[in-house]
Amino acid sequence: VGPERERALLRRLSVFAGGFTLEAAEAICADDSFEQADVLDLLANLVDKSLVLMEEYGDGIRYRLLETVRQYTRDKLQESGEAPGVRARHRDWYLGLVERAERQLLGPDQGKWLKQLETEHDNLRAAQAWSMEHSPEAAMRLAMALGHFWEVRGYLSEGRERLAAALSRAEAGRTLMRAKALNAAGRLALHQGDYAAAGLLNEESLAIFRGLEEKPGIATVLNNLGLVAFRQGNYASAHSRYEESLAMNRELLDDRGVAIALNNLGNLAHAQGDWGAARACYEEGLEIRRELGDRRGIANSLNSLGIAALSQGDYAAARDYWEGSLAIFRELGDRRGTAISLELLQRLQAALG
């Protein structure tokens, strides 16, 4: 590479893992030596010299370095003394991304944001790995915000490991961030069937939330503890937790929380043979989720309604519900949800002989 600014950009681009966008390159690589407005021209020169690859991706363009080039330029970045500043900007950029995404993963644009996080997953891993050594609080913020993404996309073991590592390195204290991270870790443990760990993590989270008088957090964790109790067959405890969560969410006017608690109360009623009560809970929850545009929530409600319909011998309705849920889970790339819907459809085929 000839001009010094091109060399500087190339070595700074080595901070990216698995590709990057122009917007990210501008924010992370520019400094006093060249401005953000210069990055596009410098990047085009590097593409012309085949040192950076440009690829169409969805509706946009992504760039990446060949791995041999990346390894070489990463060493040059380290030698230049610029690495700490570039890596800190890389961390800040991707931390901002995941914290914006966290707020969107429960709404109507969740599919778009899930796809974006999947595309940037290698960069997110790199940002968290660097933060573990240099900024444990940022590592925990990253892990906490990624909890829902890991849950939906099936990165359960990886998510648990990263949350555990971040919790162990971050400063101990009864903080809101720690309570949220413990709750996220508990959710992942629950989905892996590790009920002992899920219970301990969520009880610790609940204690912090109660100490902080953080009602939204309390309502969320109560629901998760209800799930732990339900999976272990402790229906009385599950009912108590769900009802407390439902009442608190109604008080907070948290429609999403209300829908979750209703769906879980429906599951409990179904397990106890009260199919009419179960279906009523599911239908109320589904109506709320449709108003919110919560696609994943809608799919979960459809699965539950299908189970209730099958129990009542309404095979046609069960098929409609499960085919609807399967389409949504596939659209979102939700591996666990897709597998559950397929299993339910197989159960229907078995019932039909």
Side-chain angles (χ1 to χ4, degrees), residues 130-152:
W130 187 82
S131 297
M132 284 295 296
E133 298 299 321
H134 299 88
S135 179
E137 294 300 314
M140 189 154 78
R141 283 172 62 190
L142 275 159
M144 179 190 71
L146 283 168
H148 190 71
F149 164 74
W150 285 327
E151 179 182 333
V152 173

Side-chain angles (χ1 to χ4, degrees), residues 171-187:
E171 185 177 344
R174 301 173 74 78
T175 65
L176 183 60
M177 188 193 313
R178 189 170 192 86
K180 288 181 176 180
L182 287 163
N183 175 56
R187 288 280 303 177

Side-chain angles (χ1 to χ4, degrees), residues 140-173:
M140 189 154 78
R141 283 172 62 190
L142 275 159
M144 179 190 71
L146 283 168
H148 190 71
F149 164 74
W150 285 327
E151 179 182 333
V152 173
R153 289 299 176 106
Y155 295 106
L156 303 182
S157 295
E158 178 179 351
R160 287 185 70 184
E161 288 170 9
R162 291 185 180 277
L163 278 160
L167 283 162
S168 70
R169 293 295 297 274
E171 185 177 344

